[in-house]
């Protein structure tokens, strides 16, 4: 009977800076000694129906395998979101960072073998990358991180940080430690879980709070750590960006937001009329709007169902191929935009949803295979839980992630040829790195009331 366990902890917040070693960002595969305990060779399989075909031209200055990893992360993002949405009440907001979840489990993959490794490769769709073996995924994660977290603009912050917290009485595999630190910047900090699990929990929560500008607090609930805890792996991401085209604070007005057919509430609605990438898709019954942050690389995409189209109908039919088709067809258009100020904070256990989509062995005391983590090659570890907490605030300046009404038209002079995008009902949102379409954050805003 296994008694040792470890946890994954993930915290996310939408503002860009991650100190990367120059040798990592400019290195070639042969320069990095990435040889984890086990590797997985992907079989040659037919491409799933909803996979986006390989583009004729890979984005400029992008490694083709990094492009594939970005797509794999996006496929996982939408798959996970759809399963999570089904488990939530229809009037609940959702917010998460799929890239951070993928990163954390990529680090876990370093110690995995056998069917546990295979399931990680398939659930996170790492097996869709055209590379011989699973160990190369880490090299391309390093390259992707260099692309995402390099400083792009003084007004934009996108910061990711990783850390390992290990039981101080145990010896962790040197290769596991070296790769997690070299590729993911995750140093190991010894803690005394055996004698002081509560103090260890406070230390970990404080580290997460510090890395997310105090926006993410108390990620690990009381009592979740005990004397059997061996390792806690943490990934955080913090984003703060200013709109390229800011909303005028004087144009904020009170308006109804239709949470459901029986529930309306008053919100502070922001307004501006400007040119954005936009298109209405009548067959799918959605309007899609993309608003850039300063620097243009990071954007927010809002998907607004038509007034009589339920949000869950859009959620159920959404996949990456459809999302990419929408994004490719959008054009610069004069748009009258009204969106609410809002804050969304979400916290959930990843375990149940990941098990639903096929990641079962990793959480099983009987079936998990993680011999590459401890120095003695012990295969008695399993993941007991994985926690995720995320925060997003949207206002006139930008974002920190950290009802049918015509009131907005009263007293304003409009361009008669403009499109109207009035987000006064539930909508989906994505914050993405647009040059390689990496989904950094995703969620839905159903209830922005009481803010």
């Amino acid at each position: 009977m296994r008694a040792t366990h470890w946890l994954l902890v993930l915290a996310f917040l939408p503002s860009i800076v991650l100190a990367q070693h120059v040798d990592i960002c400019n290195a070639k595969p042969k320069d990095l000694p990435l040889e984890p305990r086990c590797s997985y060779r992907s079989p040659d399989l037919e491409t799933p129906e909803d996979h986006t075909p390989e583009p004729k031209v890979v984005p400029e200055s992008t490694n083709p395998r990094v492009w594939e990893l970005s797509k794999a992360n996006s496929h996982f993002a939408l798959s996970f979101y759809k399963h999570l949405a089904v488990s939530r009440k229809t009037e609940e907001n959702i917010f998460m960072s799929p890239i951070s979840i993928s990163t954390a489990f990529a680090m876990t993959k370093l110690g995995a073998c056998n069917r546990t490794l295979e399931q990680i490769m398939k659930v996170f769709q790492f097996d869709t990358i055209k590379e011989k073996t699973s160990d190369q995924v880490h090299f391309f994660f390093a390259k992707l991180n260099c692309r995402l977290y390099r400083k792009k603009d003084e007004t934009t912050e996108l910061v990711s940080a990783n850390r390992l917290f290990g039981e101080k009485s145990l010896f962790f595999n040197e290769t596991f430690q070296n790769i997690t630190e070299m590729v993911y910047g995750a140093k190991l900090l010894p803690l005394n879980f055996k004698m002081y699990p509560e103090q260890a929990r406070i230390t970990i929560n404080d580290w997460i709070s510090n890395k997310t500008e105090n926006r993410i607090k108390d990620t690990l609930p009381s009592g979740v750590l005990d004397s059997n805890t061996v390792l806690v792996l943490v990934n955080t991401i913090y984003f703060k960006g200013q709109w390229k085209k800011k909303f005028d604070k004087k144009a904020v007005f009170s308006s109804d937001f239709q949470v459901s057919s029986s529930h309306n509430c008053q919100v502070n609605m922001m307004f501006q009329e400007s040119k954005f990438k936009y298109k209405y898709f009548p067959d799918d019954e959605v309007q899609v709007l993309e608003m850039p942050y300063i620097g243009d690389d990071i954007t927010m995409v809002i998907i607004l169902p038509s007034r009589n189209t339920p949000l869950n109908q859009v959620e159920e039919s959404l996949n990456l191929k459809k999302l990419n088709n929408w994004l490719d067809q959008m054009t610069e258009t004069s748009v009258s935009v009204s969106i609410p100020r809002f804050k969304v904070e979400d916290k959930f256990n990843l375990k149940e949803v990941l098990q639903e989509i096929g990641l079962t062995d990793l959480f099983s005391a009987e079936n998990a295979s993680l011999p590459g983590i401890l120095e003695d090659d012990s295969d008695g570890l399993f993941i007991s839980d994985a926690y995720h907490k995320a925060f997003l605030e949207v206002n006139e300046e930008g974002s920190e992630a950290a009802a049918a009404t015509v009131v907005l038209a009263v007293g304003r002079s409009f361009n008669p040829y403009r499109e109207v995008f009035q987000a006064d009902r539930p909508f989906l949102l994505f914050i993405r790195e647009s040059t390689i379409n990496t989904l950094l954050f995703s969620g839905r805003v159903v209830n922005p009331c009481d803010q």
Side-chain angles (χ1 to χ4, degrees), residues 256-259 287 304-308 403 422-427 445-446:
D256 281 341
F257 188 94
Q258 186 177 2
V259 178
Q287 293 173 274
L304 181 67
S306 298
R307 195 160 298 280
N308 295 318
Q422 189 173 347
D424 58 359
R425 54 196 181 276
F427 55 85
V445 178
V446 178

Side-chain angles (χ1 to χ4, degrees), residues 63-75:
N63 182 305
R65 304 292 85 84
V66 173
W67 169 245
E68 290 173 356
L69 176 59
S70 177
K71 289 198 298 179
N73 287 333
S74 295
H75 279 294

Side-chain angles (χ1 to χ4, degrees), residues 387-401:
Y387 292 94
H388 175 102
K389 192 169 186 179
F391 169 91
L392 171 67
E393 180 175 2
V394 172
N395 58 32
E396 299 90 331
E397 298 293 322
S399 300
E400 184 173 9

Side-chain angles (χ1 to χ4, degrees), residues 263-421:
H263 180 195
N264 284 14
C265 70
Q266 287 286 303
V267 297
N268 289 314
M269 194 72 77
M270 305 181 296
F271 170 84
Q272 69 167 290
E273 185 175 317
S274 190
K275 283 193 173 184
F276 294 104
K277 286 187 176 181
Y278 166 88
K279 191 170 179 63
Y280 170 58
F281 297 91
D283 291 344
D284 298 304
E285 300 180 277
V286 296
Q287 293 173 274
V288 183
L289 175 75
E290 183 168 30
M291 299 189 297
Y293 298 95
I294 293 177
D296 287 321
D297 288 341
I298 310 293
T299 69
M300 178 181 285
V301 177
I302 300 179
I303 300 170
L304 181 67
S306 298
R307 195 160 298 280
N308 295 318
T309 302
L311 183 64
N312 64 352
Q313 178 178 313
V314 178
E315 290 174 330
E316 290 168 4
S317 65
L318 186 61
N319 56 46
L320 188 58
K321 181 178 180 180
K322 178 177 285 190
L323 177 61
N324 286 343
N325 284 339
W326 289 344
L327 295 173
D328 290 343
Q329 294 182 56
M330 295 167 67
T331 58
E332 288 283 329
T333 307
S334 292
V335 191
S336 168
V337 177
S338 299
I339 61 173
R341 286 179 186 161
F342 64 89
K343 294 180 184 179
V344 177
E345 185 170 350
D346 205 356
K347 179 179 181 179
F348 50 88
N349 191 320
L350 298 166
K351 180 178 176 179
E352 183 176 340
V353 176
L354 289 173
Q355 287 176 320
E356 286 179 3
I357 59 179
L359 193 64
T360 56
D361 285 13
L362 191 62
F363 298 102
S364 168
E366 290 74 29
N367 299 325
S369 179
L370 296 166
I373 292 178
L374 293 178
E375 193 61 51
D376 63 1
D377 298 333
S378 169
D379 203 11
L381 301 180
F382 73 101
I383 294 184
S384 59
D385 279 300
Y387 292 94
H388 175 102
K389 192 169 186 179
F391 169 91
L392 171 67
E393 180 175 2
V394 172
N395 58 32
E396 299 90 331
E397 298 293 322
S399 300
E400 184 173 9
T405 180
V406 294
V407 173
L408 78 156
V410 176
R412 293 187 174 90
S413 175
F414 287 114
N415 174 358
Y417 302 105
R418 95 293 190 207
E419 299 289 343
V420 176
F421 188 92

Side-chain angles (χ1 to χ4, degrees), residues 16 150 152 292-299 432-435:
I16 286 179
R150 64 190 178 193
K152 300 181 181 183
Y293 298 95
I294 293 177
D296 287 321
D297 288 341
I298 310 293
T299 69
R432 69 174 187 137
E433 206 283 349
S434 60
T435 62

Side-chain angles (χ1 to χ4, degrees), residues 117-172:
L117 174 57
E118 181 181 354
Q119 288 180 358
I120 293 173
M121 291 291 292
K122 290 181 177 180
V123 167
F124 291 92
Q125 306 212 25
F126 299 147
D127 62 343
T128 62
I129 300 169
K130 293 183 177 67
E131 203 41 69
K132 293 179 180 179
T133 56
S134 60
D135 53 296
Q136 290 301 308
V137 170
H138 305 292
F139 173 77
F140 297 121
F141 249 109
K143 294 294 186 179
L144 179 61
N145 289 339
C146 292
R147 180 72 174 261
L148 293 177
Y149 303 119
R150 64 190 178 193
K151 187 68 175 178
K152 300 181 181 183
D153 185 88
E154 291 300 320
T155 66
T156 305
E157 295 178 69
L158 180 61
V159 186
S160 179
N162 303 299
R163 196 74 194 248
L164 305 177
F165 298 90
E167 165 54 42
K168 62 181 297 185
S169 66
L170 298 175
F171 294 95
F172 290 86

